[in-house]
């Protein structure tokens, strides 16, 4: 795996963009992988993008499927421009803009200011993610985040996590904490052990929850997922791999399954 441009250590990033999208149960992880790879070329060319995680969460009880994106950008302005770009994007052959695709529902998306980001382990090991959102009283909380980040980073190391980003959403007074981890076994032959590894990540502990709630923040969202893809524009620019599929197998790589069945079922 020839991935370039992503050293372990602190990340120079000031902006982030996150989205969470509900999908119909007919969407399979493999067909989502195919769609995401079809979408990648024009999206990944946007200014300042450092990487994107494409998460997928499956609830075996309800059958609910959720995905979205976890993007990191060089500048906060890059993240704002990216938000505006997606708002107006229509892919060739589609009748609606990006967020109005018929198989998307309940899309929740935010632009963030990044207070700190760090790769603890190589990005090629970022199999799973956890995204936590907290509500805080006012925008003054943002000033406290840089001083908190070293403690959160140390907590992430103790929890054997592979990445952490701490961010603030100024419009809604939200704190976001994104962490990544390696799944327990990278030789998983079937989907069920992969799903269980996602559940175990939630039980491992949060790098931030205790301190943030102690300071008066209220957790309003907490989702663990596995990554169907990780986009790597810096690697592509350096002549390396443009993307990786860290959970393939067991998830089929792009091109094996397609989205047409899901599109027809919800049209």
């Amino acid at each position: 795996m020839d991935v370039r441009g992503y050293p372990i250590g602190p990340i120079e990033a000031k902006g982030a963009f996150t989205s969470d999208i509900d999908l119909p149960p007919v969407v399979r992880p493999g067909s989502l992988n195919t769609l995401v790879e079809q979408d990648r070329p024009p999206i990944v060319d946007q200014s300042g993008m450092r990487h994107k995680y494409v998460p997928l969460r499956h609830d075996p009880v309800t059958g609910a499927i959720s995905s979205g994106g976890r993007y990191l950008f060089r500048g906060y302005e890059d993240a704002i421009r990216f938000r505006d770009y997606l708002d107006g994007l229509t892919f060739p052959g589609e009748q609606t803009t990006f967020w109005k695709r018929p198989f998307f529902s309940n899309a929740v998306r935010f632009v963030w200011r990044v207070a700190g980001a760090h790769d603890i382990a190589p990005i090629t090991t970022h199999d799973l993610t956890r995204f936590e959102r907290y509500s805080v009283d006012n925008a003054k909380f943002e000033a406290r985040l840089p001083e908190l980040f070293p403690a959160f980073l140390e907590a992430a190391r103790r929890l054997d996590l592979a990445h952490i980003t701490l961010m603030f959403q100024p419009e809604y007074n939200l704190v976001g904490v994104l962490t990544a981890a390696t799944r327990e076994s990278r030789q998983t032959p079937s989907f069920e052990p992969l799903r269980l590894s996602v559940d175990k990540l939630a039980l491992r502990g949060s790098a931030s929850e205790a301190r943030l709630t102690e300071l008066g923040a209220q957790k309003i969202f907490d989702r663990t997922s596995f990554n169907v893809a990780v986009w790597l524009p810096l690697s592509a620019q350096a002549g390396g791999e443009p993307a990786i599929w860290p959970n393939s197998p067991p998830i089929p790589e792009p091109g094996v399954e397609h989205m047409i069945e899901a599109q027809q079922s919800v049209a």
Side-chain angles (χ1 to χ4, degrees):
M1 189 182 302
D2 184 16
V3 171
R4 309 177 188 180
Y6 292 89
I8 296 172
I11 299 169
E12 292 295 326
K14 298 299 182 184
F17 179 82
T18 63
S19 64
D20 289 278
I21 308 165
D22 292 340
L23 300 170
V26 70
V27 175
R28 297 184 296 270
S31 59
L32 180 63
N33 239 351
T34 298
L35 176 70
V36 166
E37 180 59 16
Q38 291 170 349
D39 288 353
R40 182 179 59 80
I43 294 178
V44 81
D45 280 343
Q46 300 310 297
S47 175
M49 187 184 300
R50 197 256 183 187
H51 71 251
K52 175 191 180 181
Y53 300 130
V54 184
L56 184 65
R57 173 75 186 184
H58 172 252
D59 187 326
V61 177
T62 66
I65 300 288
S66 58
S67 186
R70 317 283 188 236
Y71 301 81
L72 201 57
F73 289 88
R74 179 175 56 246
Y76 179 60
E77 295 76 13
D78 293 321
I80 291 175
R81 284 192 291 268
F82 181 72
R83 175 200 62 194
D84 296 342
Y85 166 76
L86 281 188
D87 284 348
L89 176 63
T90 301
F91 282 102
E94 297 190 8
Q95 304 302 311
T96 67
T97 53
F98 183 80
W99 296 114
K100 294 182 180 179
R101 282 174 153 173
F103 47 92
F104 284 3
S105 62
N106 303 320
V108 177
R109 51 202 189 269
F110 297 105
V111 174
W112 303 83
R113 295 186 183 274
V114 172
H118 196 106
D119 274 348
I120 302 167
I123 199 167
T124 52
T125 68
H126 298 187
D127 305 326
L128 316 171
T129 58
R130 181 177 186 176
F131 183 37
E132 301 164 81
R133 289 201 306 265
Y134 299 82
S135 176
V136 297
D137 288 339
N138 57 63
K140 293 180 180 179
F141 204 97
E142 181 180 5
R144 309 190 67 171
L145 296 183
E147 67 185 59
L148 294 173
F149 183 69
F152 291 175
L153 174 58
E154 181 56 34
R157 293 185 191 277
R158 290 196 303 269
L159 293 168
D160 197 26
L161 300 175
H163 170 90
I164 183 167
T165 297
L166 176 63
M167 46 199 163
F168 186 78
Q169 209 296 321
E171 185 178 357
Y172 298 99
N173 292 336
L174 300 175
V175 173
V177 183
L178 176 67
T179 51
T182 304
R183 72 190 197 213
E184 289 188 347
S185 172
R186 305 201 84 197
Q187 305 301 318
T188 303
S190 63
F191 181 76
E192 185 61 16
L194 176 57
R195 187 187 65 77
L196 291 174
S197 72
V198 173
D199 294 339
K200 289 179 180 179
L201 176 59
L203 298 174
R204 192 182 303 187
S206 168
S208 59
E209 183 174 10
R211 182 60 173 149
L212 286 176
T213 54
E214 177 184 291
L215 292 171
Q218 179 182 1
K219 183 179 283 192
I220 57 175
F221 182 87
D222 190 348
R223 176 171 291 169
T224 51
S225 311
F226 65 84
N227 289 327
V228 294
V230 182
W231 292 0
L232 304 167
L234 301 184
S235 179
Q237 293 162 18
E241 299 288 344
I244 57 173
W245 297 273
N247 291 296
S248 298
I251 306 305
E253 291 190 358
V256 177
E257 297 179 357
H258 297 272
M259 285 288 288
I260 186 169
E261 299 90 346
Q263 292 172 327
Q264 292 173 341
S265 70
V266 297

